Amino acid sequence: MVDTISSTVAAGGSLLARFRSLLERLNRMPILITIAVLWLVLMLAIAVSADLISPYRFTQMDLRNRLSLPVFMGGSWAHILGTDELGRDVLSRLITSIRMSLLIAFGATIIGAVVGVTLGFVAAHFRGIVEQAVLALVDFSAAIPFLVLALAVLAFFGNSLVLFVCLLGFHAWERYARIARGLAISGRMHGYAAAVHQLGASPWRLYGRHILPNIASTLIVSMTLAFPEIILLESGLSFLGLGIQPPDTSLGNMVGFGREYLSSAPWIMLAPAFVITATALCVSLLGDWLRDRLDPTLS
Amino acid sequence: MNAGTADLLEARDLARSYTVRRGLLGRPTLVRAVDGVSLTVARGETLGLVGESGCGKSTTARLVLGIEPTDTGSVTFDGGAMPRSGTAAWAHLRRRMQMVYQDPLAALDRRLTVGVQIAEPLDIHRIGTAAEREERVAAVMAEVGLQPHHAARHPQSLSGGQRQRAVIARALVTNPELLVCDEPISALDVSIQALVLNLLGDLQERLKMGMLFVSHDLRAVRQISQRVAVMYLGRIVEEGDPDAVLHDPAHPYTQALVSAIPHPGKTTTRVILQGDPPNPANRPTGCAFHPRCPVATPTCRTQAPELKPRRSDGRRVACHVAHGEAAAARAPASLETC
Amino acid sequence: MLHYLLSRLLRAAVSIIMVVTFVFVVLRMSGDPAMVIMGADAPPEAIDAFRKAWGLDQPLWIQYFSFFEAIFSGELGRSMRDGRDVLSVVLERVPSTLALTVPAFLVNLVVGVPAGVYAALHRNSLIDRCVMVMAVTGFAVPSFILAMLLVLIFSVNLGWLPSAGQDSWLNAILPIATMGFGGAALLARFTRSAMLEVLGQPYIRTASAKGLPWSAVVWRHALQNAAIPTITIIGFMLGGLVAGAVVVESVFSWPGVGRLLVISVANRDLGVVQAIVLMIAITMVAANMIVDVLYGLVDPRMHGQARPARR
């Protein structure tokens, strides 16, 4: 019993030490990374509290105030970022769009990682024909640009939010699959995974409790690098009118509809365009930085 | 359990070869890592398996544990055939047969504390309640000479010797009947080697385990084993009592190995082996040792010798010359007994 | 080397078969194509006729093989919209797309490679910083946003260039600039890191230590070695160009294959979508194979090995 207590205390101590070293690392963060983190925190806060902070409902129309100017171009404070062609508040739409786009990007990133890691582990566990099949799938997804593949699937299956998120989830799955397979095989060949196997552990325990935590940092870095790509992909498809459908709204969808008022009301398109770019930039800066810090093996 | 007289582990004619392929369409080459090995380990007995690197001794260790499938031959543990690796029956047997590895840091998961890892076999095999598991872990840690506070440490913050003790503790926590040690001391500092070797010997004696001790170090094997088997290119060439084998090696290869042991204060004739080091991908015909053998005869080039008891003293050896079936080309290198 | 070529050819063939299978599976999984395409309220005779025309009344595996047969004999079906042969509908758009992608690719090379080399040779200089900022921006600004910003500046505000259509060569400038920038940024970033890696190698130090002029060191040793990894991303860039064409042609109303794809997806003109996907896939697989073979020829170390995959 005393042992348990002392071990908990020791574990707590190491946790505290880890937290402290994390803080130290944060202190050494370059200014650019700090800005990126702050921007992302802001985006997350907006996404979480979207209903609370948006001044209007994002579908609410104000037909007397159509295409009104944003404040910085001489408009009124009633619509800080102006209104669109139906008199809908751009700021409110932007807030809802941020939530939608982030939600999709998170969902898709997680789906991609789960699918990829699972297939990678399956390939590593069974080897032989199963592995060859997974590798052929990896080859296949490298054969077509993902945007074209996504367009084809949308053409055949029609459009729904669930399908759209799953589809985006398949972006970059093969990267996770490749990482998971390679690291699992090398772990099983020699070392801790082989030892755990010899202890009689089930594959669930072997992959879930031992291999997965050991490759987690590499996976997290890959996810950070894939996340902005998914944001861009989602906005691109929505811009083309093939992603999020009205009345729902996303950042790319806003840019797409704002395009028709490019000459008369460029603010409709500029605000979401800025958010897309800034978010993609910040996540990829953070991802590069994390990669250099945590995982020098990824080039 | 079977009657105590039966051997705990019996391996018969084990063979395992690998195909090595260069490139996607390269020509595959067959590498015979293990080529007809038979051995037994009785309860409470330690069998030492010696040979230079690449002779197949580590593969033999994995074969007898059933980690790798055998091409031909059979492994019997406690009277039952070894189930296929990965099956439930195989996994269930793990609590009765365990392994100690060469590189303890590689064999441990760096993300988990040592205590959690020592308890893992109990979790896997669902042995005891949480409290009993904790007690058992504390007991086994004390047994291998680890302090209670080491339980909360991660492997990379322990010393090499402590890591190997943790690996041994993890192997012993289920009270196995068979312990296979694959070069357990060769990655450790020389000062630690003796301690770990003594620990393994004590534990084996106290717990009455059967043990297969694989090493390239003849002296370590002699210290810990009741019986020793010498391997060369995938086959056992000599087997017998460790002291007898070391004092009076029958096989020319064993003679060379023994003569390579440095003895302070004694001058012995070293047998220097000629020719290339053994390559399992290109096994010589006849006796695999003949290209390097100082006493090889024409028979040795064509006929593979059988491992059988020598007429004079019953020592098991696989050599035409030692059995007197072929006249030595020249007198065997005179070896002073040591 | 022959082995390498053969195995590479085999992998390319497997990829093509998988693409065709993918199209077939997706087509079948999306429900009864007859119902999907003709609409649930179409008269039953019309649906039956459609089924017969597409061979949908046959067992699945026969359909699968006749699907292959049709594709390899160029029978890709008819457009749902105007009933014309799909292949000719797609092929007549190809020159327009090439008119954008080929110049854009040249812009990528002409701008991207020298920028990357210059940045690597003058590391941490102002120009290096500028190149890196441009490179990161090139990734983070998606092509549709860049396209619209260019329209906003050069068409709406300055009135210099047309924003849509295909009336004169002036129309091509903004699309080419949009596609050129993204690829050039990527290529500059990659060339820079490849150069930096080569410049850090001991043989470069040896070459300059033995008194070779620096320009000769760069030209003879560094550039040629940095070119090897740079070749590998050309296949990757091709994918980027194709995806870029889809978006950029849509923004600028440029009547190419990309815009046709978007319109056909919106109209669910499955025959056209299928033809375009197959065409793009075959082009990509062939291009990647050629890059691999080139790579095998250029880099003696790679003989007998596959190129490290990257996307």
Side-chain angles (χ1 to χ4, degrees):
Chain A
M1 280 300 108
V2 177
D3 269 7
T4 347
I5 293 164
S6 68
S7 75
T8 353
V9 170
S14 84
L15 209 73
L16 199 70
R18 264 197 220 173
F19 185 66
R20 221 174 266 148
S21 80
L22 186 74
L23 281 184
E24 263 167 41
R25 258 192 249 170
L26 287 180
N27 266 338
R28 271 182 268 127
M29 261 186 349
I31 184 80
L32 209 58
I33 300 301
T34 317
I35 294 173
V37 169
L38 287 179
W39 172 265
L40 294 175
V41 168
L42 176 70
M43 287 300 110
L44 278 180
I46 288 176
V48 169
S49 61
D51 290 335
L52 295 175
I53 58 173
S54 61
Y56 302 90
R57 268 173 18 85
F58 72 98
T59 47
Q60 186 179 328
M61 290 185 264
D62 182 357
L63 292 173
R64 270 170 303 180
N65 271 324
R66 277 181 292 176
L67 300 179
S68 75
L69 291 168
V71 169
F72 54 86
M73 288 171 76
S76 77
W77 281 95
H79 299 288
I80 297 174
L81 291 179
T83 60
D84 66 5
E85 73 280 7
L86 295 172
R88 295 175 299 192
D89 183 50
V90 171
L91 179 62
S92 305
R93 293 184 70 71
L94 188 67
I95 288 170
T96 313
S97 297
I98 288 171
R99 169 155 74 178
M100 179 61 100
S101 290
L102 284 188
L103 205 65
I104 290 174
F106 270 117
T109 307
I110 288 166
I111 290 174
V114 170
V115 170
V117 170
T118 309
L119 282 176
F121 281 170
V122 164
H125 185 70
F126 293 103
R127 309 301 299 263
I129 187 104
V130 179
E131 183 178 29
Q132 291 308 316
V134 171
L135 290 179
L137 274 178
V138 168
D139 259 14
F140 161 71
S141 47
I144 314 183
F146 189 78
L147 184 71
V148 174
L149 201 72
L151 283 175
V153 171
L154 290 175
F156 286 113
F157 288 105
N159 201 314
S160 76
L161 187 58
V162 176
L163 176 73
F164 188 58
V165 176
C166 292
L167 182 61
L168 291 177
F170 277 90
H171 169 73
W173 74 270
E174 83 281 357
R175 256 181 263 168
Y176 307 111
R178 212 180 275 145
I179 294 170
R181 172 182 160 270
L183 294 177
I185 287 177
S186 71
R188 290 203 57 168
M189 282 294 188
H190 30 73
Y192 66 95
V196 173
H197 177 64
Q198 154 61 26
L199 294 177
S202 65
W204 292 110
R205 172 180 279 269
L206 176 60
Y207 289 103
R209 188 168 159 83
H210 291 279
I211 296 182
L212 194 59
N214 272 283
I215 67 174
S217 65
T218 310
L219 286 176
I220 288 170
V221 171
S222 303
M223 284 166 82
T224 326
L225 295 174
F227 189 82
E229 294 172 22
I230 291 182
I231 290 182
L232 297 180
L233 204 58
E234 180 275 319
S235 57
L237 283 167
S238 297
F239 168 82
L240 293 173
L242 302 168
I244 294 301
Q245 301 295 324
D248 282 332
T249 176
S250 79
L251 293 171
N253 172 299
M254 272 181 89
V255 177
F257 283 103
R259 171 182 155 200
E260 292 165 30
Y261 300 89
L262 190 58
S263 48
S264 53
W267 59 86
I268 301 177
M269 163 260 166
L270 284 177
F274 174 75
V275 173
I276 292 172
T277 306
T279 309
L281 192 64
C282 289
V283 187
S284 65
L285 281 176
L286 189 65
D288 280 351
W289 184 75
L290 277 180
R291 179 185 62 191
D292 294 346
R293 277 309 174 96
L294 296 180
D295 196 30
T297 59
L298 278 174
S299 64
Chain B
M1 277 193 199
N2 281 19
T5 50
D7 283 323
L8 177 65
L9 177 80
E10 187 180 2
R12 219 174 254 290
D13 296 325
L14 296 184
R16 175 77 174 147
S17 37
Y18 304 95
T19 26
V20 176
R21 194 192 277 265
R22 307 206 182 281
L24 187 63
L25 299 167
R27 192 166 299 134
T29 6
L30 201 69
V31 176
R32 288 187 183 169
V34 174
D35 190 15
V37 165
S38 298
L39 53 83
T40 58
V41 178
R43 284 174 201 286
E45 179 201 40
T46 300
L47 171 66
L49 193 57
V50 207
E52 55 199 322
S53 57
C55 73
K57 55 193 193 302
S58 292
T59 307
T60 307
R62 288 201 300 276
L63 289 177
V64 300
L65 284 171
I67 300 173
E68 267 184 57
T70 55
D71 294 341
T72 57
S74 63
V75 178
T76 314
F77 179 78
D78 194 19
M82 177 66 61
R84 220 159 46 80
S85 166
T87 59
W90 180 85
H92 191 68
L93 261 189
R94 294 309 102 190
R95 56 184 291 184
R96 300 176 58 193
M97 50 204 311
Q98 271 305 323
M99 185 157 178
V100 175
Y101 302 85
Q102 175 169 6
D103 181 355
L105 187 58
L108 293 167
D109 188 335
R110 295 177 193 221
R111 299 226 152 227
L112 298 175
T113 61
V114 165
V116 168
Q117 295 192 66
I118 294 175
E120 190 156 23
L122 301 176
D123 296 341
I124 291 171
H125 298 289
R126 300 206 176 81
I127 299 169
T129 62
E132 285 166 0
R133 287 176 195 176
E134 213 167 284
E135 217 166 278
R136 174 70 189 136
V137 169
V140 83
M141 280 179 69
E143 211 160 18
V144 300
L146 284 173
Q147 303 290 315
H149 70 262
H150 288 139
R153 303 269 286 273
H154 286 265
Q156 58 273 30
S157 68
L158 294 178
S159 73
Q162 288 166 340
R163 286 172 199 154
Q164 194 59 297
R165 286 173 199 271
V167 171
I168 295 170
R170 180 175 65 176
L172 294 184
V173 76
T174 56
N175 277 321
E177 294 149 63
L178 175 70
L179 187 66
V180 174
C181 303
D182 185 7
E183 299 268 13
I185 57 168
S186 59
L188 303 178
D189 289 346
V190 178
S191 54
I192 311 290
Q193 286 186 350
L195 292 175
V196 171
L197 195 63
N198 287 338
L199 173 69
L200 282 169
D202 290 349
L203 288 168
Q204 185 269 334
E205 216 163 281
R206 198 139 38 93
L207 304 171
K208 304 274 179 288
M209 291 181 292
M211 187 148 108
L212 179 64
F213 187 91
V214 175
S215 177
H216 64 272
D217 184 346
L218 253 181
R219 279 186 301 176
V221 167
R222 178 195 190 179
Q223 187 189 329
I224 203 166
S225 314
Q226 276 96 56
R227 214 148 39 83
V228 60
V230 180
M231 258 184 106
Y232 185 81
L233 268 188
R235 286 189 190 167
I236 292 178
V237 294
E238 183 165 359
E239 190 188 327
D241 173 73
D243 289 327
V245 169
L246 253 85
H247 282 127
D248 174 26
H251 196 281
Y253 175 63
T254 321
Q255 291 167 3
L257 276 187
V258 170
S259 78
I261 302 175
H263 291 278
K266 273 199 177 181
T267 46
T268 52
T269 324
R270 273 203 68 181
V271 180
I272 308 289
L273 290 177
Q274 308 292 315
D276 299 327
N279 174 10
N282 186 17
R283 197 187 154 84
T285 54
C287 173
F289 187 59
H290 84 256
R292 303 170 77 194
C293 182
V295 295
T297 65
T299 324
C300 301
R301 266 171 219 124
T302 51
Q303 272 182 38
E306 216 181 304
L307 180 68
K308 59 186 180 187
R310 189 161 63 172
R311 219 167 294 151
S312 55
D313 58 357
R315 169 89 53 80
R316 285 159 60 79
V317 57
C319 177
H320 296 305
V321 177
H323 286 296
E325 293 163 353
R330 54 188 160 90
S334 66
L335 285 158
E336 286 174 25
T337 47
C338 31
Chain C
M1 197 61 217
L2 188 69
H3 279 158
Y4 175 62
L5 280 178
L6 278 177
S7 71
R8 196 58 196 80
L9 208 63
L10 196 74
R11 272 179 57 200
V14 169
S15 290
I16 300 266
I17 290 173
M18 289 193 64
V19 171
V20 176
T21 309
F22 166 78
V23 171
F24 179 78
V25 168
V26 165
L27 187 69
R28 298 299 317 185
M29 267 172 60
S30 59
D32 184 349
M35 299 291 268
V36 171
I37 289 157
M38 304 293 284
D41 49 353
E45 311 88 69
I47 290 183
D48 278 348
F50 182 90
R51 283 209 176 108
K52 206 151 255 148
W54 283 69
L56 296 176
D57 45 357
Q58 304 279 340
L60 207 57
W61 64 272
I62 291 186
Q63 285 186 44
Y64 181 63
F65 283 108
S66 52
F67 188 72
F68 266 91
E69 202 186 314
I71 280 165
F72 288 111
S73 56
E75 286 287 322
L76 290 166
R78 308 207 158 264
S79 166
M80 311 294 170
R81 269 205 316 168
D82 47 13
R84 291 172 55 214
D85 180 49
V86 164
L87 200 60
S88 56
V89 170
V90 176
L91 284 180
E92 73 186 19
R93 299 282 196 124
V94 170
S96 286
T97 296
L98 289 181
L100 292 188
T101 44
V102 172
F105 185 62
L106 292 178
V107 170
N108 289 347
L109 292 181
V110 170
V111 175
V113 173
V117 170
Y118 188 89
L121 291 177
H122 301 85
R123 201 178 178 184
N124 292 330
S125 68
L126 187 66
I127 294 193
D128 180 25
R129 296 277 164 84
C130 289
V131 167
M132 283 313 284
V133 168
M134 293 297 255
V136 175
T137 319
F139 166 77
V141 181
S143 53
F144 63 92
I145 289 180
L146 180 63
M148 289 175 62
L149 289 178
L150 290 179
V151 168
L152 194 60
I153 296 169
F154 291 100
S155 307
V156 178
N157 284 352
L158 297 173
W160 291 352
L161 293 166
S163 65
Q166 199 187 18
D167 308 318
S168 77
W169 62 273
L170 285 174
N171 288 82
I173 292 180
L174 288 183
I176 291 172
T178 309
M179 289 163 72
F181 178 69
L186 177 78
L187 198 55
R189 194 174 176 185
F190 195 84
T191 311
R192 178 180 177 273
S193 63
M195 269 303 273
L196 282 179
E197 197 178 327
V198 170
L199 288 175
Q201 296 293 320
Y203 59 80
I204 294 293
R205 258 177 285 140
T206 313
S208 64
K210 75 182 180 191
L212 218 58
W214 182 239
S215 61
V217 174
V218 169
W219 189 249
R220 286 251 310 274
H221 296 273
L223 274 183
Q224 296 191 12
N225 279 296
I228 292 170
T230 309
I231 289 178
T232 59
I233 64 158
I234 288 178
F236 174 75
M237 282 175 53
L238 204 73
L241 274 177
V242 170
V246 171
V247 173
V248 169
E249 286 178 8
S250 299
V251 176
F252 291 100
S253 308
W254 184 269
V257 179
R259 183 150 178 258
L260 180 66
L261 176 63
V262 172
I263 292 172
S264 304
V265 170
N267 294 333
R268 308 198 72 185
D269 194 344
L270 300 188
V272 177
V273 173
Q274 168 189 313
I276 295 177
V277 169
L278 288 174
M279 196 184 76
I280 290 175
I282 290 171
T283 315
M284 291 279 299
V285 169
N288 270 315
M289 193 182 78
I290 292 168
V291 168
D292 271 6
V293 170
L294 272 184
Y295 194 65
L297 288 176
V298 172
D299 188 351
R301 287 171 308 180
M302 291 307 292
H303 287 178
Q305 285 174 47
R307 176 175 58 116
R310 76 167 42 246
R311 233 186 104 191

